[in-house]
Amino acid sequence: MKIYIQHTISILLLIFTSNFVFAQKQSINIFGTLVEEETAQPIPYATVVAYNSETDEIISGTTTDDNGRFNTATANTNIYFEISFMGYQTKTIKEISFLNVLNNNLDLGTIQLSPDNLALDEVVIVGEVSKTVFKLDKRVFNVGKDISSTGVSALEVLNNVPSVNVNIEGEVSLRGSGGVQILINGKPSVLADQSSNALGTITADMIESIEVITNPSAKYEASGTSGILNIILKKEEKQGWNGSISANTGIPDNHSIGGSINRRTEKFNLFSQFGAGYRSLPRDREAINRNLTNGETVFSNGEEFRNETFFNITLGTDYHLNEYNVFTLSGNFAYEIEDQPSETNFSFFEGDNLISRWTRNETTEATNPKWQYEFNWKKTFQDNEDHTFQLSALGSFFGKDQSSLFTDTTIEGENVDSNQRTATDFLQADYTFKADYVNPITEQYNIEIGAQYVINDVGNDFEVQDFINDEYVTNEDLTNNFEWVQKVLGIYATGAYENDTWGLKLGLRVENTDLNTLLTNTNEDNSQNFTNVFPTVHSSYKLGENFSLQAGYSKRIFRPRLWDLNPFFNIRNNFNIWAGNPNLQPEFTHSYELTSIYKIGKASLSSSLYHRYTTDVVERVSTFEDNVTFSTPENIGTNSTIGFETNGKYSPVNWLTLTSDFNFNYFDRKGTFEGQVFDFTGSQWSTRLGSKIGLPADIDLELNGNYQSGFETVQGEQSGFAFLDLGIRKKIFKGKIVANLGIRDVFASRIQERFVNQPTFETYDYSLRGRFITFGISYGFGKGEAMTYSGRRR
């Protein structure tokens, strides 16, 4: 390291004195290109130094640019060159022929560097070790040289963060749960889009730290997510370019091509992504509706498909106006063409007597245009790099033009032939405006204030027609035009004190929700306007370098989603109908958590005790009429949950990593609906065991086993299931090429079963996605690694 520092200082001195030296003698311009020996890829930022052959003193020096090119000048012809870059064998060029000088220019041509595996191993052993720093409402994983020197992607870095797991397809989970929000430098970014695996284009040496937030503070909107990961990039790593292209195939049909490119200069960061493909998602279904009052039963089973052809492209740029102001502008466009054929077989019995048997076929076609755009301005104040103001605006649009045809054909017994068709015209526009101000008053005290305004505007025009007397007639009972507009204004403030041992952070968020729904054909409207206060408290106490305690409280809200509110009927199986409830109220949760994080040798463990108390719980409730089951969400009482969660990661040797998650909770449900009391207690638990094995020849094998127990519901029970995922990955040319083989649900055992047991009726629903096999190959160029995404839609 001292040698590198000496070389750097010497090069800087030479840059300042070069004009004086060259003024005395005529200089020769010497240039060339530096590439990797194995892949012929350019090596940027390598050190090129010219030495005096007699005294071994440094004469001149430079570094290679993004394309591996270098250029230096000297008036001394008695020289030799030494070229070095961390992770590669240093190369010395002593045989330099100045007879090839033309117009004071000498081309050394293309120079190859060989990788130095021993040097890399030495860096891992003696370099800075990655470590986790515990703060008030988050854990900060500082990326050390043990990871950054390997040149892996951001996904591999995330997989080393405690409580975080990344499977072989690049799906990120936190404490065993998906739905993780990933931010780049504290804001949403297309670079954090998991569906396109854009994280594969961010290399480890560009990452400063990763923040893990499991219980968000008042700074984040109260609806929140299961957790937040914030990737902080190094400011000095803006130069360079990287990208990758990939091709994927699979069974059932899962074919795609995609690419990503990212170019960083001193002022601009330009990024682009594109993709196209075709996928098929089959599902097996079974259902039983049993009328206990008259002994009638309807059996149904069949297979559904959702086939999609898709295209998408993303363009964006970060513009660094100066050291303190950065502007970001990005846009994304996607287009999907859907085809959803299905066939369902029905049998109707009275007791043991078959009355009728028929088949219901569906043909559905749809087109879905989508686009999104974002503008962001971040200002950093000169007094402190953490003293910032950020302003952002985000807009998105989604449309669906869908038509369906349903045909019933009698096979046996009474004639039940009938045809129906539906048409859907769906439009959704979302707008988000946000401002955040952070001011670290001192090293111990910090304040944050901000505001956010979100607008959701949706229209869903849905029509059902029955085939009567040789013509289609609109069914007014099932047809509706539903309009939904929700506006949420939130403001927040937090204050924190933190020293080396303990800290306290208090926050308060106020949100006003203005919700309006309207069924235009019946003029039924529902307007709600309510204001809620969401306090948050976080504290931490550090007992040592490897052990810390954190405690937190937050109040959260679940606002009913569009499909929870929209009284739209799904008639694919017209004996099992789902509809939304426009009168649904939001549910509120008080969340308490005590977490311990500790490290023992090569193992890291995190355990939490938590309690959640939820009011106006949204539950799926089924009613039964004329052998038809109607399911709709309703607000039913309260739910009090006490749980324990623990997860760990253990790497006994370099080639093996073991992970595990376990979650158990006991719940107490209380509530009444339409005169029926729903008071009961129950429990639910889940576990996940994973292993990542590094095999010879740069091959990774990954196995993940999952189990989720059954649990009681307000009207019956949900069954448990277990499944296994397997993945194999082969890296070629130091990760420039990656081949992936993935098998999801190896034994096709991820079966979901739901039972409803009531005094007058019983229902049973069965669903299975089945086994998916995917294979993909990807090539990374520039500084980027090849992508590991197998084409799966998230």
Side-chain angles (χ1 to χ4, degrees):
M1 183 59 70
K2 291 182 178 180
I3 296 176
Y4 282 108
I5 295 174
Q6 291 173 359
H7 287 180
T8 303
I9 295 174
S10 300
I11 291 170
L12 291 174
L13 290 173
L14 285 167
I15 291 174
F16 286 108
T17 60
S18 59
N19 288 336
F20 174 78
V21 174
F22 296 151
Q24 299 181 57
K25 297 178 67 175
Q26 188 175 21
S27 63
I28 299 174
N29 187 42
I30 303 175
F31 55 90
T33 303
L34 189 64
V35 300
E36 294 181 358
E37 183 181 59
E38 294 180 351
T39 66
Q41 292 292 318
I43 302 177
Y45 315 122
T47 302
V48 181
V49 181
Y51 290 88
N52 187 307
S53 297
E54 296 179 352
T55 63
D56 290 331
E57 294 180 352
I58 297 177
I59 297 176
S60 66
T62 185
T63 58
T64 57
D65 63 14
D66 294 342
N67 298 311
R69 295 190 292 263
F70 65 89
N71 193 315
T72 187
T74 178
N76 192 333
T77 59
N78 189 20
I79 62 173
Y80 67 91
F81 278 91
E82 186 175 276
I83 303 174
S84 60
F85 188 67
M86 185 168 291
Y88 293 85
Q89 297 179 15
T90 299
K91 188 157 193 167
T92 303
I93 304 175
K94 293 189 175 181
E95 302 297 330
I96 301 176
S97 176
F98 285 90
L99 298 176
N100 297 323
V101 174
L102 181 63
N103 296 327
N104 292 328
N105 291 316
L106 177 61
D107 186 1
L108 297 182
T110 300
I111 302 169
Q112 296 180 336
L113 284 192
S114 303
D116 187 352
N117 295 324
L118 179 60
L120 284 175
D121 292 339
E122 289 174 350
V123 172
V124 171
I125 293 171
V126 304
E128 175 191 354
V129 178
S130 300
K131 62 180 180 179
T132 301
V133 178
F134 304 107
K135 295 196 174 182
L136 283 173
D137 58 344
K138 59 191 174 185
R139 286 167 279 159
V140 181
F141 183 78
N142 292 313
V143 180
K145 293 180 180 179
D146 57 335
I147 294 176
S148 62
S149 63
T150 64
V152 299
S153 71
L155 290 171
E156 297 290 343
V157 180
L158 285 172
N159 212 26
N160 285 276
V161 178
S163 299
V164 179
N165 288 290
V166 182
N167 70 11
I168 210 148
E169 291 182 341
E171 292 179 300
V172 181
S173 62
L174 178 59
R175 286 183 169 175
S177 300
V180 181
Q181 183 181 10
I182 300 179
L183 307 176
I184 303 293
N185 290 333
K187 65 181 182 68
S189 171
V190 293
L191 291 176
D193 184 3
Q194 294 186 61
S195 63
S196 63
N197 195 54
L199 288 171
T201 67
I202 300 177
T203 53
D205 58 353
M206 300 160 64
I207 301 175
E208 180 74 29
S209 61
I210 298 172
E211 298 176 349
V212 182
I213 308 170
T214 57
N215 195 6
S217 70
K219 178 178 181 178
Y220 304 96
E221 59 181 298
S223 55
T225 63
S226 64
I228 296 172
L229 299 175
N230 184 23
I231 300 175
I232 308 298
L233 299 180
K234 294 179 180 178
K235 292 187 176 181
E236 66 271 20
E237 293 292 343
K238 298 186 184 298
Q239 302 286 338
W241 63 276
N242 57 75
S244 60
I245 55 175
S246 65
N248 308 280
T249 188
I251 303 172
D253 289 330
N254 189 352
H255 318 295
S256 65
I257 58 172
S260 176
I261 189 168
N262 183 214
R263 175 78 166 101
R264 289 180 174 84
T265 66
E266 183 178 354
K267 289 288 186 180
F268 285 96
N269 172 28
L270 305 174
F271 46 87
S272 175
Q273 299 167 16
F274 63 90
Y278 173 80
R279 61 173 69 93
S280 178
L281 301 174
R283 183 193 293 266
D284 293 331
R285 283 192 177 275
E286 293 181 16
I288 302 174
N289 291 0
R290 182 171 284 114
N291 191 326
L292 300 180
T293 60
N294 58 20
E296 295 178 344
T297 305
V298 177
F299 295 91
S300 64
N301 65 82
E303 187 175 23
E304 305 170 358
F305 288 87
R306 179 171 179 168
N307 306 322
E308 294 177 341
T309 302
F310 59 92
F311 311 90
N312 65 75
I313 185 170
T314 297
L315 297 171
T317 182
D318 294 324
Y319 172 58
H320 296 261
L321 177 66
N322 51 43
E323 186 179 355
Y324 304 106
N325 292 274
V326 180
F327 297 91
T328 299
L329 182 64
S330 65
N332 171 267
F333 175 76
Y335 192 78
E336 296 174 347
I337 303 172
E338 292 184 5
D339 175 26
Q340 300 182 34
S342 72
E343 181 176 290
T344 306
N345 302 305
F346 291 87
S347 300
F348 175 53
F349 287 83
E350 289 182 353
D352 296 329
N353 299 320
L354 176 65
I355 303 302
S356 185
R357 190 161 62 91
W358 70 98
T359 298
R360 183 174 179 85
N361 288 283
E362 174 192 357
T363 302
T364 294
E365 296 178 348
T367 56
N368 308 325
K370 310 175 184 178
W371 64 77
Q372 177 178 299
Y373 48 88
E374 177 193 3
F375 171 78
N376 187 86
W377 169 44
K378 183 176 182 180
K379 176 176 176 58
T380 302
F381 294 89
Q382 297 185 25
D383 60 333
N384 190 323
E385 64 177 11
D386 295 323
H387 186 188
T388 62
F389 174 76
Q390 189 163 283
L391 187 67
S392 63
L394 179 68
S396 62
F397 171 85
F398 172 68
K400 178 184 283 291
D401 184 2
Q402 178 174 294
S403 61
S404 302
L405 176 64
F406 300 89
T407 305
D408 289 345
T409 305
T410 302
I411 299 175
E412 185 178 355
E414 292 182 359
N415 190 337
V416 295
D417 288 359
S418 66
N419 294 341
Q420 289 179 301
R421 66 184 185 186
T422 65
T424 302
D425 184 12
F426 177 86
L427 299 172
Q428 177 174 349
D430 300 312
Y431 307 95
T432 301
F433 306 93
K434 190 174 183 182
D436 296 288
Y437 174 73
V438 180
N439 187 358
I441 301 174
T442 67
E443 291 185 1
Q444 287 81 31
Y445 291 94
N446 182 76
I447 62 170
E448 297 174 306
I449 57 174
Q452 177 176 279
Y453 187 50
V454 180
I455 303 173
N456 308 114
D457 189 353
V458 178
N460 186 74
D461 191 353
F462 178 68
E463 182 182 17
V464 178
Q465 294 182 334
D466 299 320
F467 192 67
I468 302 174
N469 297 327
D470 296 329
E471 65 176 346
Y472 283 98
V473 179
T474 300
N475 185 329
E476 299 293 345
D477 293 333
L478 301 181
T479 296
N480 68 65
N481 181 20
F482 183 70
E483 296 180 357
W484 176 66
V485 179
Q486 179 175 271
K487 302 174 182 178
V488 180
L489 173 62
I491 58 174
Y492 76 90
T494 69
Y497 171 81
E498 186 174 14
N499 58 32
D500 293 336
T501 304
W502 73 278
L504 178 66
K505 184 174 186 177
L506 303 177
L508 187 67
R509 187 178 186 92
V510 180
E511 290 189 349
N512 173 263
T513 303
D514 184 11
L515 173 64
N516 295 277
T517 66
L518 174 65
L519 288 169
T520 60
N521 54 331
T522 59
N523 204 32
E524 296 178 55
D525 65 338
N526 179 22
S527 298
Q528 301 180 36
N529 190 297
F530 49 89
T531 300
N532 304 106
V533 178
F534 301 95
T536 61
V537 179
H538 293 84
S539 63
S540 66
Y541 185 74
K542 186 177 180 181
L543 284 78
E545 286 297 324
N546 296 322
F547 186 75
S548 177
L549 291 174
Q550 293 178 329
Y553 162 78
S554 65
K555 180 182 177 182
R556 317 295 292 171
I557 183 175
F558 170 76
R559 296 182 181 87
R561 300 155 299 184
L562 169 67
W563 301 115
D564 297 318
L565 298 169
N566 187 3
F568 145 85
F569 286 86
N570 183 343
I571 62 172
R572 170 172 292 166
N573 182 333
N574 51 10
F575 282 85
N576 291 276
I577 295 177
W578 162 269
N581 178 6
N583 297 312
L584 206 61
Q585 300 295 310
E587 64 178 35
F588 294 90
T589 298
H590 297 269
S591 178
Y592 307 84
E593 180 178 334
L594 176 63
T595 300
S596 62
I597 308 101
Y598 41 97
K599 185 176 181 182
I600 305 174
K602 296 182 178 181
S604 60
L605 296 170
S606 173
S607 299
S608 299
L609 288 172
Y610 60 86
H611 170 60
R612 295 193 300 265
Y613 182 76
T614 305
T615 59
D616 290 327
V617 180
V618 176
E619 293 278 9
R620 174 179 174 177
V621 176
S622 297
T623 57
F624 195 77
E625 185 178 351
D626 295 331
N627 299 320
V628 177
T629 301
F630 294 89
S631 299
T632 185
E634 300 285 354
N635 294 107
I636 302 179
T638 64
N639 185 22
S640 179
T641 301
I642 298 176
F644 171 75
E645 180 265 344
T646 186
N647 62 74
K649 182 176 293 186
Y650 177 52
S651 298
V653 290
N654 292 335
W655 53 268
L656 176 63
T657 299
L658 302 174
T659 60
S660 65
D661 293 288
F662 175 79
N663 184 76
F664 173 85
N665 65 73
Y666 170 85
F667 56 87
D668 183 8
R669 290 288 285 109
K670 295 184 181 298
T672 303
F673 178 71
E674 294 185 349
Q676 184 176 358
V677 177
F678 293 104
D679 290 354
F680 66 97
T681 60
S683 62
Q684 179 184 7
W685 65 278
S686 62
T687 186
R688 183 180 65 84
L689 299 174
S691 62
K692 186 174 181 180
I693 304 170
L695 302 175
D698 237 350
I699 297 176
D700 289 331
L701 171 65
E702 186 174 292
L703 295 169
N704 284 301
N706 297 263
Y707 176 75
Q708 180 173 303
S709 73
F711 58 94
E712 292 186 64
T713 65
V714 291
Q715 291 182 301
E717 62 178 322
Q718 184 97 24
S719 68
F721 57 85
F723 65 96
L724 175 70
D725 292 339
L726 179 148
I728 301 175
R729 179 175 60 194
K730 164 67 176 172
K731 289 186 177 182
I732 306 171
F733 296 140
K734 296 178 64 178
K736 292 299 180 181
I737 297 177
V738 170
N740 270 332
L741 174 66
I743 305 177
R744 296 193 299 274
D745 196 0
V746 175
F747 302 107
S749 57
R750 191 172 184 174
I751 299 171
Q752 296 181 338
E753 296 178 292
R754 183 173 182 267
F755 302 86
V756 174
N757 302 303
Q758 294 296 290
T760 59
F761 70 96
E762 293 178 348
T763 67
Y764 166 75
D765 289 298
Y766 166 98
S767 177
L768 171 65
R769 274 291 186 196
R771 182 185 302 107
F772 284 77
I773 302 175
T774 58
F775 175 77
I777 189 166
S778 180
Y779 169 68
F781 52 89
K783 293 178 67 180
E785 258 205 347
M787 296 189 293
T788 58
Y789 173 51
S790 68
R792 181 184 180 187
R793 184 187 188 199
R794 313 284 200 265

